Amino acid sequence: MKHRSVDVERSFLNSMTLTVLVASLVLANAEGFWYPAALTPVIAGVTSVVVDRRRWIRLPVAVANLLGVLAFLMMAWEFYGNTVLGKLLSGAHLLVYISWVVLLLQKGIRQFWWLAALSILQVAVASVLTNDASFGLALVIMLLLMLWTLSVFTLYRGRIRVAMSRDDIEDSLNPVGAAHAEDSLNPVQTPTGALSIRNGLQVDSEEPWIGWRFRAIVGFAFVASLFVATVTFFVFPRIWTGSSPLAGIAEPARQALMSQTGFTENVQLGDIGEIMQTEGRVLQFETTLSEERTPISADEFARALRMDELLFRGNALGRYSKGRWTTGASQGRYLGDLATEMRFIRDPAQSDMRMRIVQDPPIQKFAFVPVPVQNVTTRSREGKIQQGRLSSTLTVAGFKRDDRFEPLELTAWYQSAPAGQSVHSPNRIAGPTDLVTEVLGYFRSPTQYEHYAYTWCVTRDLEQSLPQLVQLAQEICQTDTAELTDRQRIQAVFSYLTASGRFQYSLNATIQNPSIDPVEDFLVNRRSGHCEYFASACALMLQAVGIPARIVNGYKGYEKNTVSGKLEVKQKHAHAWVEAFVDGHWETLDPTPAAAREEAVTRTSQLDWWQDLRLAFNDGWMELVQRMSPQQQEAMVRPWLVAAKKKWEEIRRQGVWGLLKEFWTDVVMHPSKWFSPRTLVVTFVLLLILGLIIQQNPSSWLTTKLRRLLAWLRPGSSQKRSVVRFYQTFCEVCRRHGLLLPDHQTAQENARMAEHHFAATLITPHDRLLPFRIATAFNKVRFGQTELSAEVVEDLRSDVTRLSDLLKTRPRS
């Protein structure tokens, strides 16, 4: 037996340690910071060895109380003067600190219960802090762990109760204690000596406590619990509260700890070292034709808008100073660039293409949409999409705070660029002129565009701040024969950066000469950098030769998720490009070497499949769990209810036998249909019915029924049934006339009660004996197994009829 006791104890300690470990990691992942929750696995692993197994450390109770007080003081220090999120996290950290204290204690039953409760509380706090699908997977893992741990816990407590534990481990639920447990043993040996019963525990010497049956029971409980939870979630109505706004806070905090590519509202150049590619997703999209809703490829969509690759627009920046690009206007607003709500320029049915975009939360300020766009709508009732009339920047407005932590679903309508347009322009609206476009043309007049371009997209005093850049730009655009046009200047600057072979793309943005401007250092010294340096150099060189230019940051390109098949834009696709003002409108330029950037962006790793799987799983979790509204819930359950109703009507019409015959003919006789959902359901139902029948011990049931049948067929059984029926009639007659005879009394006691109750009606001695004669005959047949003659049975019938007639004449009280 000793080897089984050690196995139970070791299994329980390992299970409890693993439960505490997983719960702490779930909290750390949801919080976004590794301290202090991520230290719990280290502490749990160490204490499992030095405290629970080796017993090298025995923390005094006084010291444990002092550490508990210290934990409360640390929680109070975090709580005081903090934000709402900080106050919540201070409570979560208190749970972590108390778990550390309990782990350091010599543990009995009570302390193990504390660890289990603290683990569940940590997971509960994590549920408020995250929307990520990994939390759903963590819940499934925690369910399995808790079922296993609590099941082994039961065996561990049983082991203590049969005196197999060490004497120095306290059993808080057993006052007798392990040292005196031998006195309470009550072994019951079988004739073979293979089985004993101790304190209600069956101990089989041929099978370990944690054997295949125990594992199978826990596994079945896990699967059944998961099934019941899933059915409950999808079937039963629930209150829709949306997601917690606190859940979106951890993700930005987690990302802020890493140096990475990604969109920023303003562009800051400087000595930031090597930029790391980030696989975090920004949005997913699909492109279709508007009228037929036929899918088209993203490359075809880009070519229709005269883009070499899809550009998802973010912010437009026209002023540069000391390594930083800004709009140059107060709060990002240009003169005359009031943001207006997006409205249809024409009937959406006349649009050529449509793009559906799902932008991942948290939603900050910008809606990343390719431009020019005819209209953009959102599913949010309160929120709307606005566009700057001069900057073409799309922003979100009117969204509630909670909505910003939900995915932003957008639908955008487009028309193909006209045949004569060769370059991409963010503010040209293609198509024939109508009244609406004429009105908009008034507001978007060339005069207004020119005023904006030459006021907000030309950096002043470039000769003083960037003298080397200005000199280089003038040398490139200078000729001895004639003055270059604006388009020739643009082509000269663009070719110098892309086709001269002097510059190369690199994610390493380290400055070599910090005494000069970062852009001049890029042009003169290192001549390598990422897209922001290429775009900055191009825009400033164009401004230096008198052409208004601005840089636009957003995202360029996409990739296909290999698991879900959806098109996704990720943080690594963050990009900056240039727009130059020429011939009264803006034209797009991208001076960044396309091949080198594409190679860097599309560089794959061995974990790409895991990233795709994680994103696909997140999407499924968001759609099926996070955003499961009552309407979606009803739509999901309704087909099952309709199918069940149809099947029930079919059963009523054909009967069970008819359905079985139909199933035999259509399925069983055709092996190709054996492996189908219908066959699976029928097989499961039949096996369930068979299991229930076996569970009810059918052999005993059949034996009882057969015994009753033989007794019914035995001679004299007809008279017995008649006497019993007469006695039941007697009881019913008494009840109708106000006397309820108790079932727990004997027939003679009921007769005596009837004789006293109806004394005023049963006047003669013969009539007063009627109840007793009926009761006596019943007892003889029911308990004495006496066979009465036909004359006696007939006399008994007359007695019951006589009693009924007498009571009918009894006056009502």
Side-chain angles (χ1 to χ4, degrees):
M1 296 274 240
K2 186 176 181 180
H3 69 281
R4 288 202 304 278
S5 66
V6 173
D7 182 60
V8 170
E9 181 178 8
R10 182 185 297 114
S11 298
F12 171 63
L13 293 178
N14 291 339
S15 300
M16 183 59 71
T17 302
L18 187 60
T19 300
V20 174
L21 185 150
V22 172
S24 62
L25 291 181
V26 170
L27 178 60
N29 181 68
E31 185 178 347
F33 297 98
W34 293 106
Y35 179 82
L39 294 180
T40 304
V42 178
I43 297 175
V46 172
T47 56
S48 175
V49 176
V50 302
V51 177
D52 299 329
R53 302 180 192 275
R54 301 297 183 182
R55 300 180 173 274
W56 292 340
I57 297 177
R58 189 180 184 94
L59 189 67
V61 177
V63 177
N65 292 336
L66 182 61
L67 291 176
V69 172
L70 181 61
F72 273 98
L73 291 177
M74 293 180 63
M75 184 273 292
W77 179 74
E78 293 183 29
F79 185 88
Y80 180 73
N82 213 329
T83 62
V84 175
L85 178 63
K87 295 179 188 299
L88 176 64
L89 293 181
S90 66
H93 295 166
L94 176 63
L95 297 175
V96 176
Y97 300 146
I98 297 299
S99 298
W100 294 354
V101 176
V102 178
L103 287 171
L104 290 170
L105 289 171
Q106 287 284 338
K107 286 175 278 297
I109 300 299
R110 184 182 296 112
Q111 287 73 32
F112 287 127
W113 277 120
W114 289 350
L115 285 177
L118 289 169
S119 300
I120 294 175
L121 288 175
Q122 290 183 53
V123 175
V125 174
S127 67
V128 185
L129 295 175
T130 182
N131 288 335
D132 196 79
S134 59
F135 179 74
L137 180 61
L139 285 181
V140 176
I141 296 175
M142 281 298 299
L143 173 63
L144 177 59
L145 273 176
M146 291 303 298
L147 281 174
W148 174 263
T149 302
L150 294 178
S151 299
V152 180
F153 197 6
T154 303
L155 296 183
Y156 179 72
R157 291 174 58 191
R159 186 188 66 84
I160 294 178
R161 292 185 182 277
V162 296
M164 292 182 179
S165 64
R166 297 182 178 92
D167 294 342
D168 55 349
I169 293 183
E170 172 199 4
D171 179 8
S172 347
L173 301 180
N174 184 5
V176 177
H180 305 86
E182 290 290 349
D183 299 334
S184 62
L185 295 181
N186 251 337
V188 178
Q189 297 289 339
T190 62
T192 61
L195 184 69
S196 63
I197 306 297
R198 302 184 178 183
N199 288 345
L201 273 176
Q202 175 178 311
V203 183
D204 190 346
S205 60
E206 299 299 326
E207 183 179 351
W209 286 17
I210 304 180
W212 68 270
R213 284 195 296 181
F214 178 81
R215 293 184 175 91
I217 291 172
V218 176
F220 176 79
F222 167 70
V223 174
S225 301
L226 198 60
F227 175 76
V228 171
T230 303
V231 172
T232 302
F233 178 83
F234 285 110
V235 173
F236 290 92
R238 59 195 180 97
I239 300 175
W240 175 247
T241 58
S243 59
S244 169
L246 297 175
I249 297 179
E251 183 65 24
R254 187 185 304 114
Q255 293 181 356
L257 300 177
M258 302 181 295
S259 176
Q260 59 180 12
T261 58
F263 175 83
T264 54
E265 183 173 349
N266 295 317
V267 174
Q268 176 70 53
L269 303 176
D271 190 3
I272 60 175
E274 185 176 1
I275 297 178
M276 306 300 295
Q277 296 281 16
T278 304
E279 294 289 334
R281 190 179 64 188
V282 179
L283 58 88
Q284 53 184 328
F285 69 95
E286 61 179 17
T287 52
T288 61
L289 298 177
S290 292
E291 188 173 356
E292 300 89 356
R293 296 188 178 182
T294 303
I296 61 173
S297 69
D299 292 337
E300 292 175 336
F301 190 93
R303 286 194 295 268
L305 297 180
R306 300 296 184 262
M307 297 179 183
D308 60 341
E309 199 170 355
L310 276 179
L311 297 172
F312 293 84
R313 190 181 191 82
N315 199 12
L317 311 168
R319 289 287 182 88
Y320 179 83
S321 177
K322 299 180 180 180
R324 181 179 177 85
W325 282 95
T326 62
T327 60
S330 175
Q331 298 180 353
R333 291 291 182 87
Y334 305 105
L335 179 64
D337 190 39
L338 298 178
T340 57
E341 183 179 354
M342 291 292 296
R343 298 184 183 278
F344 280 116
I345 293 177
R346 59 176 65 247
D347 186 356
Q350 300 178 9
S351 300
D352 295 331
M353 301 172 295
R354 185 180 68 170
M355 175 180 285
R356 295 189 61 188
I357 300 173
V358 180
Q359 189 170 321
D360 288 357
I363 308 301
Q364 300 296 336
K365 179 179 180 180
F366 298 97
F368 299 104
V369 177
V371 293
V373 59
Q374 288 186 300
N375 188 64
V376 180
T377 58
T378 175
R379 292 181 60 179
S380 174
R381 295 182 179 179
E382 293 80 11
K384 56 186 177 182
I385 305 300
Q386 296 180 336
Q387 184 179 33
R389 291 187 295 177
L390 301 178
S391 65
S392 299
T393 297
L394 282 83
T395 56
V396 297
F399 283 79
K400 294 181 179 179
R401 186 172 183 271
D402 293 351
D403 292 339
R404 293 184 179 271
F405 296 98
E406 297 288 338
L408 175 63
E409 297 188 19
L410 305 172
T411 303
W413 285 267
Y414 296 86
Q415 276 201 329
S416 301
Q421 183 176 325
S422 59
V423 295
H424 175 256
S425 177
N427 61 310
R428 277 191 172 180
I429 301 174
T433 303
D434 55 19
L435 179 60
V436 178
T437 53
E438 289 181 0
V439 173
L440 290 176
Y442 171 77
F443 290 104
R444 300 182 180 216
S445 62
T447 302
Q448 190 180 28
Y449 269 108
E450 290 177 2
H451 182 272
Y452 156 74
Y454 285 97
T455 302
W456 302 105
C457 297
V458 174
T459 303
R460 307 303 178 188
D461 303 325
L462 282 178
E463 294 81 359
Q464 289 75 26
S465 59
L466 301 171
Q468 297 184 71
L469 181 145
V470 174
Q471 182 181 358
L472 179 61
Q474 292 175 350
E475 292 176 357
I476 293 172
C477 298
Q478 185 178 2
T479 62
D480 297 332
T481 57
E483 183 178 358
L484 297 179
T485 63
D486 287 348
R487 289 196 175 277
Q488 290 173 332
R489 293 174 184 174
I490 293 174
Q491 185 60 40
V493 172
F494 185 79
S495 298
Y496 178 78
L497 293 173
T498 59
S500 64
R502 294 181 174 89
F503 300 91
Q504 61 181 358
Y505 181 83
S506 174
L507 292 176
N508 193 328
T510 303
I511 292 178
Q512 292 186 6
N513 185 3
S515 63
I516 62 176
D517 189 89
V519 178
E520 287 192 336
D521 182 70
F522 165 75
L523 287 171
V524 178
N525 295 326
R526 69 176 188 271
R527 295 185 177 181
S528 67
H530 51 76
C531 58
E532 291 179 349
Y533 283 94
F534 281 92
S536 298
C538 182
L540 290 173
M541 292 174 73
L542 291 177
Q543 291 183 9
V545 294
I547 299 175
R550 62 191 182 188
I551 69 170
V552 180
N553 58 349
Y555 297 93
K556 180 179 181 178
Y558 62 92
E559 64 182 38
K560 187 175 183 179
N561 189 301
T562 57
V563 177
S564 65
K566 296 181 179 179
L567 304 180
E568 299 176 339
V569 176
K570 299 183 177 181
Q571 290 287 355
K572 67 180 182 180
H573 293 109
H575 191 55
W577 60 93
V578 179
E579 290 177 352
F581 188 73
V582 59
D583 295 338
H585 65 273
W586 295 95
E587 292 186 1
T588 300
L589 305 170
D590 190 358
T592 303
R597 177 187 176 273
E598 183 178 0
E599 180 182 357
V601 170
T602 58
R603 189 176 300 158
T604 59
S605 67
Q606 296 179 351
L607 296 179
D608 282 349
W609 67 271
W610 168 253
Q611 179 71 9
D612 290 346
L613 179 62
R614 186 184 69 84
L615 290 174
F617 184 70
N618 280 344
D619 293 339
W621 174 267
M622 183 66 66
E623 188 67 26
L624 293 177
V625 178
Q626 293 290 134
R627 302 170 60 196
M628 177 64 70
S629 64
Q631 293 77 17
Q632 292 174 309
Q633 192 177 12
E634 181 183 358
M636 181 175 292
V637 175
R638 188 184 300 111
W640 296 88
L641 297 179
V642 171
K645 184 178 179 180
K646 291 175 61 178
K647 185 59 65 177
W648 174 250
E649 292 177 351
E650 193 173 348
I651 291 175
R652 294 181 59 185
R653 185 177 64 256
Q654 299 185 21
V656 176
W657 180 248
L659 282 180
L660 291 177
K661 290 174 59 179
E662 180 182 346
F663 180 77
W664 178 273
T665 304
D666 297 342
V667 178
V668 177
M669 301 304 295
H670 296 81
S672 60
K673 298 182 180 180
W674 286 0
F675 301 98
S676 64
R678 181 184 177 187
T679 307
L680 180 64
V681 172
V682 173
T683 305
F684 174 78
V685 172
L686 292 178
L687 290 177
L688 180 62
I689 294 174
L690 180 61
L692 293 175
I693 293 175
I694 296 175
Q695 184 72 20
Q696 296 300 321
N697 196 359
S699 59
S700 175
W701 180 81
L702 289 174
T703 302
T704 302
K705 293 298 183 182
L706 182 60
R707 186 182 299 114
R708 291 181 180 178
L709 178 61
L710 292 177
W712 186 80
L713 295 175
R714 196 167 52 230
S717 61
S718 176
Q719 289 83 356
K720 292 181 180 180
R721 291 197 300 273
S722 298
V723 172
V724 172
R725 185 168 60 252
F726 292 150
Y727 177 76
Q728 292 174 348
T729 304
F730 159 71
C731 295
E732 178 64 22
V733 169
C734 294
R735 185 193 64 80
R736 287 201 304 264
H737 292 278
L739 176 61
L740 182 61
L741 300 175
D743 294 334
H744 63 273
Q745 292 188 165
T746 64
Q748 290 294 331
E749 291 174 339
N750 288 337
R752 188 175 297 106
M753 177 181 279
E755 191 266 338
H756 287 295
H757 186 78
F758 301 117
T761 305
L762 305 178
I763 301 175
T764 66
H766 179 270
D767 293 339
R768 289 181 180 178
L769 294 177
L770 289 177
F772 293 99
R773 286 202 296 270
I774 298 173
T776 301
F778 172 77
N779 285 336
K780 287 182 179 180
V781 173
R782 183 69 177 83
F783 303 107
Q785 302 298 324
T786 303
E787 295 184 8
L788 303 180
S789 62
E791 293 79 6
V792 174
V793 173
E794 188 61 31
D795 292 341
L796 186 59
R797 182 196 304 273
S798 301
D799 291 339
V800 173
T801 303
R802 171 67 179 173
L803 178 62
S804 177
D805 293 340
L806 289 174
L807 295 182
K808 288 180 181 179
T809 60
R810 177 171 174 260
R812 294 183 181 272
S813 57

